Amino acid sequence: MIGLTSSTPAFRQVCSGCARRIRLPTSVSAPVPRRSLAAGPRTLAPFSTVPLAYDLHEPAKPVADKQTSPIIIMHGLFGSKKNNRTINLILTTLHQDLRNHGESPHEERHDYTAMAADVADFIRQHGLKESTLIGHSMGAKTAMTLALHEPDLVANLVAVDNAPVDARLASDFARYIQGMKKIDEAAVTRQAEADKILEPYEKSLTIRQFLLGNLHRPAGGSNAQKFRVPLHILAKALDHLGDFPFKDPGEVRFVKPALFIRGTQSKYVPDEVIPLIGQFFPKFELVDVDCGHWVISEKPEEFRRAVIEFLEPKE
């Protein structure tokens, strides 16, 4: 979600240290077999990671003989790599499906340490350098976790409407899962049927359409639509998705640039947590946008301008 041209100083800053141009397939689902991350000082955890599906969006006018180090965009709960594709991007971007979402594999473990390890593994496998991480909600905490644990993999960070704190997840998400389970049980064949079932659980048509974007028709001949996301796994994970794996900013900090964008009508980044953000991310900037939790879709131009300004070189 960057609007910089490849000739600006900001582009060179984002891509400093790059030696070659990225060449990845434009869309990948499960690109490599799963493997275990060996425990060590530069890895997140000694558990199995999953290969992340992604879409690659390259600039229309790439810079010859230069690598454009990518912006990695991570969605929130129930989202996918299909989200936010309409925002004009000029730099190379990778829209990822986090584990248990979109076309990425399902795995019983679903927490921020595991999701960050998946992204770290992806960055290493593809030899990416100086990446910019942009994450919304669940994706924001995933990006923060990775930046704090393995700062060498990250050039800078944009966290959208979430903070590095333990907080109770909104009850809306549990309600959504209840409605989505009802849809799976009903074996609907049309989205209009699914929407009618979901309406008592969520009045907003926009949010219902967002959730129903996870429906698909599994292979096998049946015309019934099912949710692509594993509802049973996400339901079990809800109690912990409000948590943040780091508790003590005296032990770990990310000292590179970080931008926090919050919706002023959202409750996820209250004023009282701002000092803690500054302790974990001492070079952070804060931008307020007059909207709710869904900042990028509600106010896409304000979001884009905030990121552009953040990436521009400072005087």
Side-chain angles (χ1 to χ4, degrees):
M1 299 181 177
I2 303 301
L4 300 172
T5 64
S6 56
S7 61
T8 63
F11 180 88
R12 290 193 293 273
Q13 176 187 1
V14 171
C15 296
S16 62
C18 299
R20 60 186 177 80
R21 180 172 178 78
I22 298 169
R23 287 298 177 195
L24 299 176
T26 57
S27 182
V28 169
S29 302
V32 295
R34 300 185 188 188
R35 70 179 182 85
S36 295
L37 282 174
R42 303 311 305 156
T43 60
L44 273 159
F47 53 81
S48 294
T49 60
V50 302
L52 299 178
Y54 65 92
D55 285 341
L56 174 67
H57 298 269
E58 290 194 286
K61 296 180 179 180
V63 181
D65 301 324
K66 289 188 179 180
Q67 175 178 346
T68 55
S69 197
I71 298 159
I72 298 175
I73 302 180
M74 289 164 278
H75 57 78
L77 185 60
F78 302 124
S80 76
K81 57 186 171 63
K82 296 179 180 179
N83 299 154
N84 311 312
R85 292 181 300 176
T86 58
I87 295 180
N88 182 33
L89 304 176
I90 295 180
L91 299 185
T92 300
T93 59
L94 288 162
H95 293 253
Q96 289 187 330
D97 283 337
L98 298 175
R99 62 169 54 200
N100 296 314
H101 286 76
E103 297 177 325
S104 286
H106 298 173
E107 180 65 52
E108 286 295 325
R109 179 167 179 171
H110 191 87
D111 56 41
Y112 294 114
T113 301
M115 286 185 279
D118 293 339
V119 179
D121 211 23
F122 179 92
I123 289 172
R124 289 194 181 90
Q125 287 173 2
H126 293 287
L128 307 182
K129 306 294 183 182
E130 298 291 310
S131 297
T132 294
L133 303 184
I134 298 179
H136 170 252
S137 194
M138 181 183 76
K141 278 192 172 177
T142 300
M144 285 184 269
T145 300
L146 177 53
L148 287 170
H149 201 287
E150 302 203 52
D152 291 347
L153 296 181
V154 183
N156 44 50
L157 164 75
V158 179
V160 185
D161 212 52
N162 219 331
V165 295
D166 291 342
R168 183 179 296 275
L169 203 65
S171 60
D172 297 351
F173 293 105
R175 192 172 68 247
Y176 297 159
I177 287 181
Q178 292 176 7
M180 294 162 81
K181 286 182 175 179
K182 291 288 187 182
I183 292 170
D184 266 353
E185 293 167 0
V188 301
T189 58
R190 297 184 300 116
Q191 185 157 320
E193 300 174 66
D195 185 66
K196 186 174 181 179
I197 294 172
L198 191 58
E199 187 173 6
Y201 298 89
E202 174 52 57
K203 297 305 180 185
S204 168
L205 176 61
T206 300
I207 295 177
R208 294 202 307 272
Q209 290 175 334
F210 166 73
L211 296 171
L212 295 177
N214 287 288
L215 283 172
H216 75 129
R217 286 186 171 85
S222 173
N223 200 35
Q225 298 187 41
K226 297 291 182 181
F227 281 100
R228 192 185 300 273
V229 294
L231 296 175
H232 67 289
I233 293 176
L234 297 181
K236 290 189 297 183
L238 285 182
D239 287 344
H240 304 289
L241 281 181
D243 297 344
F244 190 66
F246 295 100
K247 312 301 181 186
D248 185 359
E251 295 181 354
V252 60
R253 296 191 306 165
F254 181 73
V255 296
K256 300 177 186 179
L259 173 65
F260 284 74
I261 303 176
R262 65 174 177 173
T264 56
Q265 300 170 32
S266 172
K267 64 180 182 179
Y268 282 96
V269 190
D271 289 343
E272 54 265 30
V273 308
I274 293 176
L276 185 62
I277 292 175
Q279 293 175 48
F280 276 119
F281 302 92
K283 294 184 66 175
F284 88 106
E285 301 174 33
L286 178 66
V287 172
D288 285 339
V289 179
D290 184 17
C291 63
H293 180 58
W294 309 94
V295 177
I296 303 173
S297 58
E298 291 183 54
K299 295 292 182 71
E301 185 55 29
E302 287 86 340
F303 168 80
R304 191 178 71 88
R305 286 202 304 265
V307 176
I308 290 172
E309 184 175 348
F310 168 66
L311 289 179
E312 287 177 345
K314 305 300 185 288
E315 293 295 335

